[in-house]
């Protein structure tokens, strides 16, 4: 069996009919992973994706009934712009979710990309020293097949066993050109890896990935396999093979109604 065949077998595709259904299933998977990690390991380590795709999922997490004090948050990549800039992934996550829940500030590990690609990557490597496997890594998929800030072409992906945990990125094909990204190897060191893919514009990247092409997203490999939640229109014509979420999502009805018991208010210490 070729390596591409093996990678294909370790990638599980879950096609859902709509973006809303995908977001609901993502919420259920995050909730389940958190509950399992807190029960068995006493803490939940999650890596966040940036971009627009996960924004609504983060908003819905605000209402989640969970032990926020046991969560540890990391970021898969960041853009080299000033702290608080509207282009930063961490600002989006704070505004949509993290500002509104009781995760301790020192358990939210932002990437100091404002220091520049090299210094920012070196600093995040230090942050990750001694951090074991993540419990859940969330990732997106770009139209060109990129994930986090791992891009096609000559850009380093960090796929080897000796790859550093974080990489400086120069000349990214999408602005801004300078970034910091976790390496493919470090992103794969997780009990679960979950891609969220929405929109018809992603269809070609999905097709190439399923055909075994060497796109950056395929370089993230997890011992337990990789799960891809994909909206039907991104998977094929007319959403072929799409399904609706499993019935167990009914347990999240309270979350959908925005119920919270802890009365937690907006936090102001994000930066």
């Amino acid at each position: 069996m070729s390596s591409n065949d093996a990678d294909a077998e370790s990638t599980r595709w879950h096609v859902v009919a709509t973006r809303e259904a995908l977001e609901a299933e993502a919420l259920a998977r995050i909730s389940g992973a958190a509950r399992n990690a807190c029960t068995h390991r006493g803490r939940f380590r999650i890596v966040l994706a940036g971009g627009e795709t996960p924004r609504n999922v983060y908003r819905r997490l605000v209402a989640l009934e969970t032990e926020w004090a046991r969560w540890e948050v990391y970021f898969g990549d960041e853009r080299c712009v000033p702290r608080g800039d509207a282009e930063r992934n961490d600002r989006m996550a704070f505004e949509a979710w993290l500002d509104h829940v009781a995760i301790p500030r020192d358990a939210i590990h932002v990437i100091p990309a404002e220091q520049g690609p090299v210094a920012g990557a070196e600093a995040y490597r230090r942050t990750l020293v001694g951090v074991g496997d993540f419990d859940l890594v969330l990732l997106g998929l770009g139209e060109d097949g990129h994930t986090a800030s791992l891009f096609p072409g000559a850009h380093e992906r960090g796929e080897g066993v000796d790859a550093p945990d974080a990489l400086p990125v120069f000349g990214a094909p999408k602005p801004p050109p300078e970034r910091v990204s976790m390496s493919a190897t470090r992103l794969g060191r997780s009990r679960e890896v979950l891609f969220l893919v929405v929109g018809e514009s992603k269809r070609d990247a999905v097709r190439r990935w399923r055909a075994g092409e060497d796109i950056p997203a395929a370089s993230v490999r997890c011992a337990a396999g990789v799960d891809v939640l994909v909206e039907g229109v991104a998977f094929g014509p007319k959403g072929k093979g799409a399904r609706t979420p499993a019935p167990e999502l009914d347990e999240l009805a309270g979350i959908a109604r925005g119920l919270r018991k802890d009365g937690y208010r907006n936090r102001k210490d994000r930066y």
Side-chain angles (χ1 to χ4, degrees), residues 63-218:
L64 187 67
E65 299 280 347
T66 186
E67 298 178 86
W68 291 117
R70 296 179 181 268
W71 285 51
E72 292 184 12
V73 176
Y74 299 84
F75 290 81
D77 73 312
E78 189 55 270
R79 297 156 180 176
C80 292
V81 293
R83 283 280 184 103
D85 190 281
E87 292 297 310
R88 285 184 68 113
N89 292 330
D90 57 15
R91 175 170 170 175
M92 182 274 285
F94 274 108
E95 290 182 345
W97 166 36
L98 299 175
D99 274 344
H100 313 289
V101 298
I103 299 174
R105 182 60 187 82
D106 61 3
I108 301 174
H109 306 283
V110 301
I111 299 175
E114 69 280 359
Q115 298 178 13
V118 174
E122 290 176 348
Y124 214 52
R125 288 173 201 155
R126 291 192 294 271
T127 295
L128 294 171
V129 170
V131 177
D133 290 355
F134 300 119
D135 294 297
L136 177 63
V137 170
L138 298 177
L139 291 168
L141 178 69
E143 296 173 12
D144 60 357
H146 85 268
T147 192
S149 282
L150 306 177
F151 290 95
H155 297 277
E156 174 64 35
R157 301 181 190 176
E159 296 181 72
V161 293
D162 296 325
D165 287 347
L167 303 170
V169 177
F170 298 93
K174 294 182 62 176
E178 296 185 345
R179 300 162 178 244
V180 175
S181 182
M182 281 197 199
S183 64
T185 295
R186 190 63 182 93
L187 289 167
R189 285 180 51 199
S190 180
R191 291 175 176 85
E192 297 181 59
V193 172
L194 181 65
F195 279 82
L196 309 178
V197 184
V198 300
E200 188 174 356
S201 65
K202 308 296 177 64
R203 186 183 297 174
D204 187 61
V206 168
R207 178 193 61 77
R208 293 169 57 206
W209 190 354
R210 294 176 63 208
E213 291 190 30
D214 184 30
I215 65 171

Side-chain angles (χ1 to χ4, degrees), residues 49-62:
E52 284 300 310
T53 298
R55 186 188 296 269
N56 283 342
V57 175
Y58 296 162
R59 286 172 175 158
R60 297 177 72 168
L61 278 170
V62 172

